[in-house]
Amino acid sequence: MRRTTPMFRTIADFVTEYTNESKTTQRVMDTLTDASLAQKITPELRSLGQLGWHIGTTIHEMISRTGLEFAAPEGEEHAPASALTIADTYRTSAAAAIDAIQSQWTDAKLSESSDMYGEQWLNGLTLRIFLSHEIHHRGEMIVLMRQAGLRVPDIYGPTREDWIERGMEPLV
């Protein structure tokens, strides 16, 4: 799959797309509550808090493998018990990644390769996979948020609650 996944070819394209997606992820993070962080689908899978923390800490863990330098969040392994800390860590990490990419790279750097988990990936591909990874886990978080009784933000369209508030019949 990685070899056929379209990669970013310009820094501007990545920054535009990631800025939009990270605003959406931030809305999800800002909806979390301390009580919701323990929500799990099954005991052996990540909790809602651990998924949020994973998204926030993976920004540095993954992107720094390309040689970009920016501050890493502390305690990458275990999620804190504070929803505010998770949301703030994501906010800071996402902004730092965008700043590092814009200040340390040119478009030409996207066509260079870096060692990613034992494979050579073009940097533009790494950014695409990084973004897809975040969106994937954000989707997992939304399921857990619903189970925890949180209202999920609209992302690519109205939520069930939005439809009801507009006086429309929600689709089942």
Side-chain angles (χ1 to χ4, degrees), residues 102-163:
Q102 289 180 309
S103 65
Q104 297 173 36
W105 280 2
T106 64
D107 291 345
K109 190 74 173 172
L110 297 173
S111 296
E112 294 180 15
S113 294
S114 297
D115 183 302
M116 295 298 291
Y117 313 105
E119 298 179 2
Q120 289 295 309
W121 296 0
L122 296 174
N123 291 330
L125 176 62
T126 296
L127 294 180
R128 171 58 65 198
I129 292 171
F130 158 75
L131 182 56
S132 296
H133 171 268
E134 180 170 312
I135 293 167
H136 162 75
H137 286 305
R138 185 176 71 201
E140 291 179 315
M141 288 181 70
I142 289 169
V143 171
L144 291 172
M145 290 169 71
R146 285 232 179 256
Q147 289 181 329
L150 299 177
R151 179 173 178 163
V152 299
D154 59 326
I155 294 181
Y156 298 119
T159 64
R160 181 178 195 282
E161 294 83 0
D162 293 333
W163 284 110

Side-chain angles (χ1 to χ4, degrees), residues 17-103:
E17 190 168 340
Y18 186 57
T19 297
N20 290 331
E21 291 298 337
S22 67
K23 284 178 186 176
T24 301
T25 301
Q26 189 65 60
R27 289 176 53 226
V28 169
M29 297 289 189
D30 289 340
T31 303
L32 299 176
T33 63
D34 292 352
S36 72
L37 299 181
Q39 184 68 42
K40 288 183 170 189
I41 292 176
T42 64
E44 63 275 355
L45 295 177
R46 289 179 177 144
S47 68
L48 179 55
Q50 195 63 44
L51 280 168
W53 191 243
H54 174 67
I55 291 171
T57 58
T58 296
I59 295 170
H60 183 270
E61 186 279 324
M62 189 171 193
I63 293 180
S64 67
R65 290 173 180 268
T66 65
L68 286 166
E69 296 181 4
F70 58 103
E74 293 184 26
E76 288 189 36
E77 289 294 317
H78 300 287
S82 165
L84 181 60
T85 299
I86 293 170
D88 286 347
T89 297
Y90 176 80
R91 182 180 292 105
T92 301
S93 295
I98 289 171
D99 182 60
I101 290 166
Q102 289 180 309
S103 65

